[in-house]
């Protein structure tokens, strides 16, 4: 779609025959369901928490059956007759043959960290990089340049799947085993095992999908010994994936869209033009830029994603992320630095500064542009005058500082003029973080009145068009006229450096 009005008009035409759209946001901390009418008014809602399991240090899992039960409960709790659905998913690992062999391994999980380290340092990867550089030199095809720069991370599915294949041998011994992210698992359960599929947006986030060729990477799967036979079929984002078995909800609900979380949020924010940027601040921060009909080739850790594929049209995104955003705030609440998250903005502004205290939000290492899984979370600069209010301010400032880091690397790498910036996610309700981010970026940031953009985006793709109200945070021209924050940012970056390579093992 070339513009917001065109998108909304075409999406509206898609839904004329439908009564409601149900959209379910299945994340690593919660399941949220909204029922939208044609004007995007929410006609029913329900939510439930997702229980994370920590069986070993660094391991983060979700019980698949508990997730399924929570999903069904939330959908039924919406209490509305539903005729179309859009399912949101988050990239994790699951292989199932009716019953899963293991729990979901979430994006925060670090069990594959040693595999990541050994593969990135291996002679095999050096050879691959060399061959791909030569192919790029001879052909000038960007997909070879991308392959020459690729490095593995713990957040990608690829090596976590390799870990599962190596450590759960009974799964691969079963000829009917399947691999799937959350969307694939839910489709499989909703259709009673009839559908094993995903969409391009989810597939592209696994790091075993070739976004240039728009198919599973046979080369990478061969390199990592991942059987292509276990991978789901890949469909358009807007596609009738199947119909829910009537025994589950009492009616045969068609599933009209499957979409990955950040891409769904991007669509929900109406970021349809090249240069549109979306910042989602939830459990982690995810910053995406619309790169148009070509995937971005990164050297600093931005990841090329398929935003969505509708018909023959494909939109690509480049993504940078920072783990530990909402997690840091929740951790501070658990330590009783404050009682209500809504108080944090007022607490931060109740002091002039953080009293020289800096927080490094790296509970799961540091992502782009530093890319250090061995970094530790830390407070630095503590002194007898430090109060809880200074600690809270330091935590909120660190989130805005990471936003600035991601934005600068995105500008430097893509060289795409920024057209607009919109923010969503639970943390974006914090006005202190929003205003400081706008000031640091020197840009206007728009925040919608409805924060569940992943739900709304999936509903858009399932066949919905609407407008929405926006709150605006303008960058103040004289916000740092004395240069104080330049020094604060430099000191925070020093704190980052001292937190890096802290652990001998990730």
């Amino acid at each position: 779609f070339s513009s917001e009005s065109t998108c909304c008009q075409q999406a509206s035409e898609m839904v004329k025959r439908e009564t409601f759209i149900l959209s379910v946001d299945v994340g690593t901390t919660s399941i949220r369901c909204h029922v939208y009418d044609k004007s995007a008014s929410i006609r029913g809602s329900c939510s439930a928490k997702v229980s994370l399991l920590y069986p070993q240090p660094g391991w983060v899992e979700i019980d698949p059956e508990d997730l399924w039960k929570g999903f069904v409960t939330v959908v039924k709790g919406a209490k509305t007759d539903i005729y179309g659905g859009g399912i949101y998913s988050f990239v994790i690992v699951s292989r199932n043959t009716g019953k899963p062999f293991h729990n979901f391994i979430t994006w925060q999980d670090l069990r594959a960290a040693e595999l990541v380290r050994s593969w990135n340092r291996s002679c095999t990867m050096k050879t691959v990089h060399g061959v791909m550089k030569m192919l790029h030199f001879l052909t000038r095809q960007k997909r070879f340049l991308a392959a020459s720069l690729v490095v593995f991370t713990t957040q990608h599915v690829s090596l976590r799947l390799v870990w599962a294949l190596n450590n759960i041998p009974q799964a691969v011994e079963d000829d009917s085993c399947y691999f799937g992210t959350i969307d694939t698992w839910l489709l499989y359960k909703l259709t009673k095992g009839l559908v094993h599929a995903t969409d391009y947006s989810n597939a592209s986030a696994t790091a075993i999908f070739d976004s240039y060729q728009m198919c599973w990477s046979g080369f990478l799967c061969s390199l990592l010994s991942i059987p292509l036979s276990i991978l789901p079929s890949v469909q358009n984002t807007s596609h009738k994936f199947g119909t829910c078995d009537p025994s589950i909800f009492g009616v045969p609900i068609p599933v009209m869209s499957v979409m990955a979380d950040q891409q769904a949020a991007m669509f929900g924010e109406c970021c349809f033009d090249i240069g549109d940027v979306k910042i989602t601040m939830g459990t982690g921060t995810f910053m995406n830029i619309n790169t148009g009909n070509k995937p971005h080739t990164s050297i600093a850790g931005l990841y090329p994603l398929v935003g969505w594929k509708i018909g023959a049209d494909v939109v690509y995104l480049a993504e940078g992320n920072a783990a530990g955003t909402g997690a840091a705030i929740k951790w501070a609440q658990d330590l009783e630095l404050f009682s209500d998250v809504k108080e944090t903005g007022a607490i931060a502004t109740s002091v002039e500064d953080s009293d020289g205290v800096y927080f490094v939000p790296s509970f799961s290492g540091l992502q782009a542009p530093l890319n250090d899984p061995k970094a530790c979370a830390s407070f630095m600069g503590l002194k007898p005058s430090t109060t809880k209010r200074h600690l809270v301010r330091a935590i909120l400032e660190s989130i805005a500082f990471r936003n600035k880091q991601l934005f600068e690397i995105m500008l430097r790498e893509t060289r795409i003029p920024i057209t607009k910036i919109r923010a969503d996610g639970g943390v974006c309700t914090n006005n202190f973080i929003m205003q400081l981010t706008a000031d640091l970026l020197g840009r206007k940031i728009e925040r919608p009145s409805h924060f569940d953009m992943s739900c709304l985006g999936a509903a858009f793709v399932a066949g919905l068009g609407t407008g929405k109200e926006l709150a605006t945070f303008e960058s103040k021209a004289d916000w740092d006229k004395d240069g104080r924050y330049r020094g604060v940012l430099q000191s925070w970056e020093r704190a980052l450096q001292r937190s890096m390579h802290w652990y001998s093992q990730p």
Side-chain angles (χ1 to χ4, degrees):
F1 298 118
S2 60
S3 69
E4 292 182 28
S5 58
T6 303
C7 174
C8 292
Q9 182 180 358
Q10 292 189 18
S12 182
E13 290 296 321
M14 293 165 60
V15 81
K16 281 184 177 178
R17 293 170 296 174
E18 305 290 350
T19 303
F20 299 110
I21 298 291
L22 178 143
S23 189
V24 188
D25 176 344
V26 185
T28 49
T29 56
S30 66
I31 303 172
R32 298 187 299 276
C33 174
H34 295 304
V35 180
Y36 299 96
D37 62 19
K38 293 180 184 179
S39 65
S41 297
I42 296 177
R43 301 291 295 273
S45 293
C46 193
S47 64
K49 289 184 178 181
V50 172
S51 297
L52 293 176
L53 307 174
Y54 303 93
Q56 293 188 35
W59 292 28
V60 189
E61 301 180 348
I62 299 172
D63 185 299
E65 293 297 341
D66 283 352
L67 187 78
W68 167 244
K69 291 174 184 175
F71 176 88
V72 172
T73 300
V74 163
V75 172
K76 288 182 176 179
K79 298 180 181 178
T80 310
D81 293 329
I82 311 300
Y83 301 98
I87 296 177
Y88 145 86
S89 66
F90 196 84
V91 180
I92 56 174
V93 174
S94 172
R95 292 184 300 125
N96 47 72
T97 57
K99 289 186 177 181
F101 285 103
H102 60 89
N103 290 333
F104 281 114
I105 304 173
T106 76
W107 66 279
Q108 300 149 300
D109 192 283
L110 297 175
R111 73 186 67 193
E114 280 306 308
L115 269 177
V116 168
R117 184 190 62 80
S118 61
W119 267 99
N120 285 339
R121 293 183 178 181
S122 68
C123 293
T124 301
M125 286 301 291
K126 292 176 182 177
T127 302
V128 168
H129 287 164
V131 171
M132 292 303 165
K133 284 178 183 176
M134 180 62 69
L135 289 173
H136 174 251
F137 177 78
L138 295 173
T139 67
R140 312 315 295 176
Q141 293 185 33
K142 284 192 173 182
R143 67 189 185 96
F144 293 126
L145 176 60
S148 73
L149 299 169
V150 69
V151 292
F152 294 110
T153 77
T154 56
Q155 293 178 314
H156 294 155
V157 166
S158 51
L159 287 181
R160 281 183 283 134
L161 176 56
V162 170
W163 184 95
L165 294 173
N166 290 340
N167 288 273
I168 311 172
Q170 68 270 27
V172 291
E173 290 170 4
D174 186 342
D175 292 335
S176 65
C177 70
Y178 297 130
F179 157 82
T181 47
I182 281 184
D183 61 303
T184 305
W185 163 252
L186 293 177
L187 277 172
Y188 187 82
K189 295 288 284 184
L190 286 168
T191 60
K192 292 294 182 78
L194 295 179
V195 178
H196 178 228
T198 188
D199 89 302
Y200 286 99
S201 69
N202 279 291
S204 69
T206 62
I208 51 177
F209 186 84
D210 187 336
S211 295
Y212 292 85
Q213 301 286 82
M214 294 294 283
C215 62
W216 296 112
S217 173
F219 170 77
L220 195 56
C221 287
S222 175
L223 186 70
L224 299 177
S225 300
I226 297 173
L228 284 168
S229 61
I230 71 174
L231 304 178
S233 63
V234 186
Q235 306 292 343
N236 279 7
T237 307
S238 178
H239 173 77
K240 185 174 180 180
F241 284 83
T243 302
C244 300
D245 190 278
S247 65
I248 300 172
F249 300 119
V251 290
I253 306 172
V255 180
M256 303 304 295
S257 171
V258 166
M259 201 171 192
D261 62 336
Q262 300 310 317
Q263 292 91 317
M266 193 83 170
F267 205 98
E269 293 275 26
C270 292
C271 292
F272 306 126
D273 296 324
I274 296 174
D276 286 353
V277 172
K278 180 273 310 171
I279 308 172
T280 296
M281 290 179 278
T283 306
T285 292
F286 293 84
M287 189 176 294
N288 300 80
I289 184 170
N290 186 324
T291 62
N293 59 6
K294 295 180 180 178
H296 169 68
T297 304
S298 174
I299 60 173
L302 297 184
Y303 194 70
L305 295 171
V306 175
W308 48 84
K309 185 173 185 292
I310 300 175
D313 296 326
V314 183
V315 172
Y316 291 93
L317 313 177
E319 179 177 276
N321 78 290
T325 303
I329 295 175
K330 179 64 169 62
W331 169 77
Q333 185 178 26
D334 291 343
L335 288 184
E336 299 183 352
L337 294 183
F338 54 86
S339 56
D340 188 343
V341 173
K342 295 177 182 177
E343 301 171 352
T344 55
I347 293 171
T349 55
S350 70
V351 290
E352 185 178 349
D353 54 39
S354 64
D355 193 35
V357 176
Y358 306 98
F359 180 67
V360 179
S362 52
F363 290 109
S364 298
L366 289 169
Q367 293 71 47
L370 299 172
N371 302 308
D372 178 19
K374 296 182 180 180
C376 68
S378 63
F379 276 114
M380 294 195 187
L382 296 172
K383 51 185 73 70
S385 59
T386 301
T387 67
K388 285 185 177 182
R389 294 178 296 170
H390 294 122
L391 298 180
V392 170
R393 182 172 178 122
I395 291 171
L396 300 191
E397 285 180 336
S398 73
I399 294 170
F401 293 162
R402 282 293 280 138
N403 288 344
K404 178 176 172 61
Q405 277 191 325
L406 290 174
F407 187 72
E408 286 184 342
I409 194 66
M410 192 166 279
L411 281 179
R412 192 159 60 244
E413 278 220 345
T414 66
R415 299 183 181 181
I416 296 175
I418 304 302
T419 48
K420 66 171 174 278
I421 304 176
R422 287 182 175 167
D424 68 277
V427 178
C428 85
T429 61
N430 189 296
N431 288 345
F432 178 85
I433 294 175
M434 289 294 296
Q435 186 59 59
L436 182 55
T437 299
D439 290 335
L440 289 168
L441 271 51
R443 306 271 181 160
K444 178 177 72 174
I445 303 178
E446 297 173 324
R447 181 183 67 191
S449 56
H450 177 69
F451 303 126
D452 277 341
M453 284 295 116
S454 294
C455 270
L456 187 58
F460 270 166
V461 179
L464 178 63
T466 182
K468 54 187 179 294
E469 298 178 1
L470 296 165
T472 300
F473 293 83
E474 299 275 2
S475 173
K476 300 188 291 291
D478 61 345
W479 78 279
D480 193 30
K481 59 184 178 182
D482 59 357
R484 177 172 57 88
Y485 254 106
R486 283 197 297 273
V488 170
L489 191 56
Q490 289 171 357
S491 295
W492 178 77
E493 289 171 346
R494 284 172 50 217
L496 280 185
Q497 294 298 324
R498 295 192 177 193
S499 294
M500 293 178 68
H501 312 296
W502 181 263
Y503 298 111
S504 57
Q505 300 231 346

